[in-house]
Amino acid sequence: MTTNQVILWKYKNTAVDEKYQPTRTFHFDNTSITIQQQKTDITIEKNTGNVVWDGAFILSDYILRNFDLTGKRVIELGAGTGLVGLAASSNGGITTVTDITNQVELLKTNINLNPHIKNINAEELLWGTNDTIGKYDYIFGSEILYLHDQHLNLIQTCKSLSTKNTVILMIYKHRGLGEEHFFEIAENEFQVDIIPKDEYHKEFQNSEYTIFQMYLK
Ligand SMILES: C[S@@+](CC[C@H](N)C(=O)[O-])C[C@H]1O[C@@H](n2cnc3c(N)ncnc32)[C@H](O)[C@@H]1O
């Protein structure tokens, strides 16, 4: 005997693939965020930040349901379109969304598309090259473990931006790109805790996504 469970979709409408739409609006319990995307060739080496990856939605949803960021200093690494950072600021964070130089214009566009969200700015931040950017209460990152040769730089950046009270929260999908290498290095200096899947958005509890939290040891 099989049982059928009905889950009303809020994010993934199986009849419509929104992934490459020019704009998308993401609905959360207390806010909606509109994101402009750019339809360009996307390869592992370039333009990956021009669309919203599912991880950004799942992480935003998790943050909005579990943290009060009022007055907290927040930074998003590899922000792409900026969805996670915008969600953080909608929840009271004072947020800097960061990415490589080419991505900063799209980040600014998306900040301007959401005037109801305050206290957010966009800056360039190349992993491994940011010794002077300051310390943050929260560091967020969605889908940024896909470049094996950047793991060391990324961990270096997390260290530079952290105090012993900083919470680092990231999401990744296991894509067979050597993601485990990141944890092998990170665990030398950070305590890493995996967030149980039953705490994720209902539509992604059976997915290959993993949210994890890290703190300096
Ligand atoms: C797969 S996209 C994820 C974008 C967004 N976080 C999301 O989940 O929708 C990876 C992002 O990491 C950025 N990135 C890649 N290498 C980087 C580096 N060395 N320094 C800073 N950002 C980098 C890319 O430009 C891109 O925006």
Side-chain angles (χ1 to χ4, degrees):
M1 195 178 85
T2 57
T3 45
N4 292 324
Q5 196 183 3
V6 176
I7 300 175
L8 291 176
W9 60 265
K10 179 174 172 188
Y11 179 69
K12 286 208 286 194
N13 178 353
T14 49
V16 185
D17 181 3
E18 284 196 280
K19 176 116 190 177
Y20 298 102
Q21 295 294 313
T23 57
R24 299 173 70 181
T25 298
F26 297 86
H27 302 288
F28 301 99
D29 287 345
N30 294 317
T31 195
S32 294
I33 299 174
T34 298
I35 295 290
Q36 182 177 309
Q37 307 194 117
Q38 272 172 9
K39 192 167 171 15
T40 42
D41 282 345
I42 294 177
T43 66
I44 193 164
E45 285 93 19
K46 63 177 172 60
N47 298 331
T48 56
N50 285 351
V51 295
V52 176
W53 295 79
D54 286 346
F57 171 77
I58 306 166
L59 187 63
S60 299
D61 169 75
Y62 180 78
I63 291 166
L64 290 172
R65 286 185 295 105
N66 290 282
F67 293 90
D68 175 5
L69 300 175
T70 306
K72 301 294 183 189
R73 279 172 55 78
V74 177
I75 189 162
E76 184 185 3
L77 305 176
T81 60
L83 179 64
V84 173
L86 281 157
S89 273
S90 80
N91 194 22
I94 301 160
T95 307
T96 302
V97 283
T98 68
D99 208 299
I100 58 174
T101 321
N102 290 351
Q103 209 63 39
V104 173
E105 196 181 323
L106 183 60
L107 286 170
K108 288 185 174 162
T109 299
N110 282 324
I111 290 172
N112 292 332
L113 266 182
N114 292 277
H116 56 298
I117 298 178
K118 312 288 182 209
N119 295 322
I120 180 161
N121 73 303
E123 278 181 28
E124 178 197 302
L125 192 162
L126 208 55
W127 306 329
T129 62
N130 50 281
D131 286 342
T132 58
I133 195 163
K135 305 288 183 189
Y136 288 81
D137 299 307
Y138 290 87
I139 301 172
F140 296 142
S142 161
E143 309 240 22
I144 57 173
L145 302 193
Y146 67 112
L147 294 172
H148 184 279
D149 66 355
Q150 287 295 325
H151 288 164
L152 207 51
N153 283 337
L154 191 51
I155 288 163
Q156 179 56 43
T157 290
C158 288
K159 261 171 60 185
S160 308
L161 301 172
S162 291
T163 68
K164 63 178 177 35
N165 296 317
T166 301
V167 176
I168 303 171
L169 198 63
M170 293 194 188
I171 186 165
Y172 77 104
K173 182 175 177 176
H174 194 268
R175 300 176 191 275
L177 297 172
E179 293 86 352
E180 56 287 346
H181 175 250
F182 175 86
F183 297 99
E184 283 163 19
I185 317 174
E187 281 171 356
N188 292 326
E189 294 173 89
F190 291 93
Q191 165 73 33
V192 181
D193 298 327
I194 304 292
I195 308 293
K197 299 232 176 193
D198 61 3
E199 295 181 30
Y200 303 3
H201 186 281
K202 282 201 166 38
E203 290 172 66
F204 290 93
Q205 292 182 352
N206 294 319
S207 72
E208 290 171 51
Y209 278 96
T210 302
I211 302 176
F212 62 95
Q213 201 158 318
M214 307 200 310
Y215 314 83
L216 270 181
K217 277 182 185 168

